[in-house]
Amino acid sequence: MPWDRNQMAARAAEELEDGMYVNLGIGIPTLVANYTGDKDITLQSENGMLGMGPFPYEGEEDPDLINAGKQTITELPRTSYFDSATSFGMIRGGKIAAAILGAMEVAENGDLANWMIPGKLVKGMGGAMDLVAGVGRVIVVMDHTNKHGDSKLLKECTLPLTGKGVVDRIITNLGVLDVVPGGLRIVETADGVTEEELRAATEATIV
Amino acid sequence: MNKVYGSAKEALDGVLFDGMLIAAGGFGLCGIPELLLQAIKEAGTKDLTFASNNAGVDDFGIGILLQTRQVKKMLSSYVGENAEFMRQYLSGELELEFNPQGTLAERMRAGGCGIPGFYTKTGVGTVIAEGKEVKVFDGEEYILERGIFADLSIVKAWKADDTGNLVFRKTARNFNPPAAMCGKICVAEVEEIVPRGSLDPDCIHLPGIYVHRIVQGTHEKRIEQRTTRKREDV
């Protein structure tokens, strides 16, 4: 059986090590916070916060306290706040150990596309280009194929790029792959998914 | 020296002109200078260019200036939540220059620090790099981005003293300090003006040198995505 959203998030959480400062994107990456267990992980929200806490209880929402998805959140005893220039200073400066984010396409050379589809409504890249250019390690979590069944792991991206050669590891519902010289290398397959099945669902070169 | 004004309208008196570049603080609807935006709407200033991470929603934030067609151009990183913005953009009435969020923040900070340009690896190999100078440092490519020098900065803070020292609250700080720094004139709206000497000098987030005018007011502080968790049964 391919992994479901929560299993993908749990697998992504295994990438995190005790003491890391990490930025989680919207969607499945947000779920990763539920699976960090005993590891001491500090979450960054790029609108200006380290030490992001869970959603507030109803009635305790604070309009001055939101995450990068504009959702109300809470602070923790370790929390610090700072301005956007400082926030992206720590991102661009490589102080954030890892970013876990979703994608529309990843190419075998590590190119990432996740911010615009030409001809469709373009909302903007937000902080995605800064994150993928700056953080220590970029981990993509996404479905292996799109809704038409086509591979999202490509020889070359067809959509406008968010970053060039920036992806380190891809976690999909079928398994885990690393970007290595010459293409992608299978690290593991999801329980019950064979290497042949994963290869068959992948357009990118597997080495 | 008197920096304290009685209303947002008075605080903007004499500083607005058609075609100007305004840097505005805020992220989404959090920490936006909502009173000053309303006063700009009432002043009717036209052909405005805004450097602002977002464009508000249809009836709040910069969105209210889109409805009155006072905005000519936006420099933003994300404009997703605004139907009128999209309508004007798709019909060609509104210009839009996407900036990666960190690049936009740094462009403001740089402008405020007298730095006309800086090199960054953000956006290398993407459409953002098109037409920009590329320079190689230590084997890696970087693109040249320009500092923003705005005609006016409008920001929102939590507290100020009468000399303009500002303290922000939680994530409402966001773009406000860099936006404040990059304007020739900065007008700050705050929830409370406190007596001189009552703010801890070690805890000032933005020194008053950057802030020329201050107005105190009541803020709606609208929440864009109210998200909560359930209380677990004890």
Side-chain angles (χ1 to χ4, degrees), chain B residues 140-201:
Chain B
E140 197 171 347
E141 284 186 8
Y142 295 79
I143 56 174
L144 177 65
E145 294 282 3
R146 299 291 307 270
I148 290 174
F149 300 89
D151 297 307
L152 171 69
S153 301
I154 56 171
V155 300
K156 152 78 172 53
W158 182 32
K159 291 179 180 177
D161 65 19
D162 70 307
T163 73
N165 289 320
L166 299 185
V167 176
F168 302 89
R169 188 170 174 275
K170 303 185 188 289
T171 57
R173 193 182 321 183
N174 55 59
F175 273 83
N176 282 294
M181 290 165 71
C182 75
K184 292 193 189 88
I185 296 172
C186 172
V187 183
E189 59 178 69
V190 302
E191 293 176 46
E192 188 182 5
I193 298 174
V194 299
R196 196 180 296 194
S198 63
L199 294 176
D200 180 349

Side-chain angles (χ1 to χ4, degrees), chain B residues 51-231:
Chain B
S52 169
N53 190 54
N54 312 95
V57 293
D58 281 329
D59 63 340
F60 200 59
I62 290 174
I64 62 172
L65 299 175
L66 293 166
Q67 296 208 328
T68 51
R69 311 286 176 87
Q70 287 170 263
V71 183
K72 184 182 71 176
K73 184 176 181 180
M74 294 292 307
L75 311 178
S76 302
S77 87
Y78 192 85
V79 294
E81 330 301 342
N82 194 316
E84 178 62 15
F85 182 101
M86 280 302 166
R87 194 199 63 72
Q88 289 185 23
Y89 173 59
L90 294 172
S91 70
E93 296 166 57
L94 181 68
E95 293 172 57
L96 171 61
E97 178 190 310
F98 275 128
N99 283 221
Q101 195 173 131
T103 295
L104 182 62
E106 189 64 14
R107 289 185 66 192
M108 292 180 181
R109 196 197 71 84
C113 296
I115 298 170
F118 59 93
Y119 292 96
T120 176
K121 57 187 168 183
T122 300
V124 169
T126 75
V127 293
I128 293 304
E130 286 173 9
K132 289 174 184 162
E133 183 194 325
V134 177
K135 193 163 173 132
V136 176
F137 294 90
D138 302 323
E140 197 171 347
E141 284 186 8
Y142 295 79
I143 56 174
L144 177 65
E145 294 282 3
R146 299 291 307 270
I148 290 174
F149 300 89
D151 297 307
L152 171 69
S153 301
I154 56 171
V155 300
K156 152 78 172 53
W158 182 32
K159 291 179 180 177
D161 65 19
D162 70 307
T163 73
N165 289 320
L166 299 185
V167 176
F168 302 89
R169 188 170 174 275
K170 303 185 188 289
T171 57
R173 193 182 321 183
N174 55 59
F175 273 83
N176 282 294
M181 290 165 71
C182 75
K184 292 193 189 88
I185 296 172
C186 172
V187 183
E189 59 178 69
V190 302
E191 293 176 46
E192 188 182 5
I193 298 174
V194 299
R196 196 180 296 194
S198 63
L199 294 176
D200 180 349
D202 269 331
C203 297
I204 304 290
H205 296 145
L206 188 73
I209 190 169
Y210 294 108
V211 180
H212 306 94
R213 299 182 179 191
I214 317 152
V215 59
Q216 178 179 306
T218 306
H219 291 82
E220 178 185 336
K221 299 215 281 188
R222 195 182 295 184
I223 293 176
E224 202 164 340
Q225 303 281 346
R226 188 179 299 273
T227 312
T228 58
R229 66 186 146 137
K230 285 206 160 48
R231 280 178 204 278

